[in-house]
Amino acid sequence: MYQKIYIIGPVGSGKTTLAKKLAHELNIKSYELDKVIWDDEHGNIKRTSEEINFLFLKILKEPSWIIEDVGRECFIEGIKQADIVYYINLSAPTIYKRLITRYIKQKIGLEPYNYKPTMKGLIELFGWAKKDLRTRKKKISEIKKYAKKYEILNKKTEIVRMT
């Protein structure tokens, strides 16, 4: 079984959910690379490049890990070291629906959040999702170039089947 798993996909694609399910099933620690970039404990401050690199390399030194990210270029080494890379390739309407659903659930207290859900934040998430969706061909190309093994997940049923 895989010991080093990298999950990539747009904002709202289900990366964190999949990472948590796989982590539970495989008894492997999962890491959100957003938390490597942003220091939530000190007011959601962006870390320096040196801090980011230090924390990321510390994760990669672990004997097993599940990491998830939108596919930032600074984390290419994770793709190279992963036993398998999953790219969640869902449609724009599906992503946007998930973002709205997440916002509503967080707003009414049914889902935890790292930062207070606001309309401004939701609009920002839509912008990030749109950017992620525009660059997905490039990200998939990088995965194909660097990954030992990869799988493109195109439907929710494929993602559910994995868990």
Side-chain angles (χ1 to χ4, degrees):
M1 193 78 230
Y2 306 120
Q3 294 297 304
K4 296 181 178 184
I5 301 168
Y6 196 147
I7 302 167
I8 299 173
V11 171
S13 62
K15 299 178 303 292
T16 304
T17 301
L18 178 58
K20 286 177 181 178
K21 286 181 180 180
L22 290 174
H24 177 74
E25 285 183 14
L26 301 173
N27 197 27
I28 298 174
K29 186 168 180 176
S30 69
Y31 301 89
E32 296 176 51
L33 294 186
D34 276 351
K35 294 185 183 288
V36 169
I37 299 280
W38 300 97
D39 184 351
D40 292 341
E41 293 178 16
H42 298 97
N44 203 30
I45 299 168
K46 187 171 183 177
R47 291 187 166 93
T48 66
S49 296
E50 293 79 19
E51 290 172 311
I52 292 166
N53 194 46
F54 173 80
L55 292 171
F56 182 59
L57 292 177
K58 186 176 173 184
I59 293 167
L60 294 184
K61 288 179 184 175
E62 294 294 322
S64 61
W65 41 256
I66 298 171
I67 55 178
E68 58 95 342
D69 186 55
V70 294
R72 295 175 181 97
E73 288 185 30
C74 64
F75 298 132
I76 290 284
E77 188 59 33
I79 294 173
K80 293 177 181 177
Q81 290 190 29
D83 297 326
I84 189 160
V85 177
Y86 294 109
Y87 183 83
I88 302 175
N89 188 34
L90 300 179
S91 70
T94 300
I95 299 290
Y96 298 146
K97 179 182 174 189
R98 285 178 173 204
L99 291 175
I100 292 167
T101 302
R102 176 195 296 170
Y103 171 78
I104 292 168
K105 285 181 176 179
Q106 290 176 343
K107 205 66 172 155
I108 63 175
L110 293 178
E111 185 174 299
Y113 52 83
N114 295 328
Y115 46 88
K116 187 173 177 146
T118 63
M119 187 55 68
K120 181 181 176 188
L122 178 62
I123 292 167
E124 193 172 57
L125 286 173
F126 269 84
W128 290 339
K130 187 175 180 180
K131 180 184 173 208
D132 290 343
L133 291 165
R134 276 195 320 262
T135 60
R136 75 170 121 198
K137 285 183 182 179
K138 180 182 180 215
K139 290 177 182 179
I140 291 171
S141 176
E142 287 176 345
I143 291 167
K144 289 178 178 180
K145 180 178 178 183
Y146 294 114
K148 296 173 191 168
K149 184 174 182 179
Y150 65 89
E151 189 170 337
I152 309 298
L153 306 172
N154 293 306
K155 297 177 186 169
K156 186 177 179 183
T157 53
E158 291 176 322
I159 298 164
V160 171
R161 189 180 70 231
M162 291 181 53
T163 60

